[in-house]
Amino acid sequence: MEVRKTIVSRETATQDTAGRDCDPVTRVVGMAVLKNPFAGESRDDLSELFDIGAALGEQLTTEALSLLPAPAVSYGKAAIVGTHGDFEHGGALIHPRLGKPMRAALGGGKALIPSNVKIGVPGAVIDLPLGHKDEAWSFDHFDTISVSIGDAPLPDELVLVVGFADGPRLWPRCGTGPVTT
């Protein structure tokens, strides 16, 4: 595994976008830029990326969660694949094994971890979806963090992203469960 750099960021919001005060919500993101071992290749066995996702996921999750002032209640994962890679390379990085270290660090996580993958150029923005770690139908926790790295991914790179929040969206008003009609 050849990692070019890692980035961990934190934002804390105390007002919604209309300027109304709200309960503070902190969102953190851990990102790694790494060489894609399969860039420019077509192969069936992508298990090397499963292992990389698990190892980097553990590292990034630990670093990101250390920045939260309260326990995480929401989580999400994403990948950006450089243009010499394949969409499935991103899927292999985030799906088979990345969730286990994320859940272990949280001490649980019953709900599916929302995810997103795309192919992109340096500076590409990816929308990292967030959802409640235990209650998949908690509408108040459906959220998005848009992230990018100015110089990544290069054509032969991957960007791995994990994200967490210690609260719901700012001033949520959609309810906490499925709406029936």
Side-chain angles (χ1 to χ4, degrees):
M1 168 176 35
E2 188 178 330
V3 177
R4 179 161 63 95
K5 65 177 166 178
T6 60
I7 301 165
V8 181
S9 67
R10 172 178 133 176
E11 70 173 40
T12 301
T14 57
Q15 292 185 339
D16 68 12
T17 55
R20 291 178 289 256
D21 290 340
C22 61
D23 292 334
V25 175
T26 300
R27 302 185 309 175
V28 294
V29 175
M31 299 183 282
V33 178
L34 61 141
K35 190 78 142 180
N36 182 346
F38 305 132
E41 295 182 25
S42 293
R43 64 168 61 195
D44 291 330
D45 181 5
L46 301 178
S47 59
E48 182 179 343
L49 290 172
F50 304 171
D51 296 336
I52 291 170
L56 277 177
E58 183 174 359
Q59 174 191 336
L60 293 173
T61 294
T62 300
E63 291 178 19
L65 290 176
S66 74
L67 298 179
L68 277 181
V73 296
S74 296
Y75 55 14
K77 58 188 179 178
I80 308 173
V81 179
T83 56
H84 290 171
D86 183 278
F87 186 88
E88 196 65 11
H89 297 163
L93 191 63
I94 68 169
H95 290 307
R97 298 201 42 224
L98 175 59
K100 185 174 182 178
M102 292 175 71
R103 287 185 175 92
L106 295 175
K110 298 175 190 172
L112 184 71
I113 302 171
S115 63
N116 194 6
V117 174
K118 72 185 280 185
I119 293 178
V121 298
V125 175
I126 191 158
D127 291 331
L128 171 72
L130 293 177
H132 194 281
K133 67 182 185 71
D134 295 316
E135 300 296 332
W137 290 104
S138 178
F139 294 160
D140 289 354
H141 292 84
F142 292 175
D143 201 357
T144 303
I145 305 170
S146 297
V147 296
S148 68
I149 301 173
D151 66 349
L154 296 175
D156 63 346
E157 290 181 331
L158 297 160
V159 175
L160 174 63
V161 185
V162 297
F164 303 90
D166 64 4
R169 285 188 318 278
L170 300 176
W171 200 40
R173 299 175 298 278
C174 293
T176 57
V179 177
T180 58
T181 55

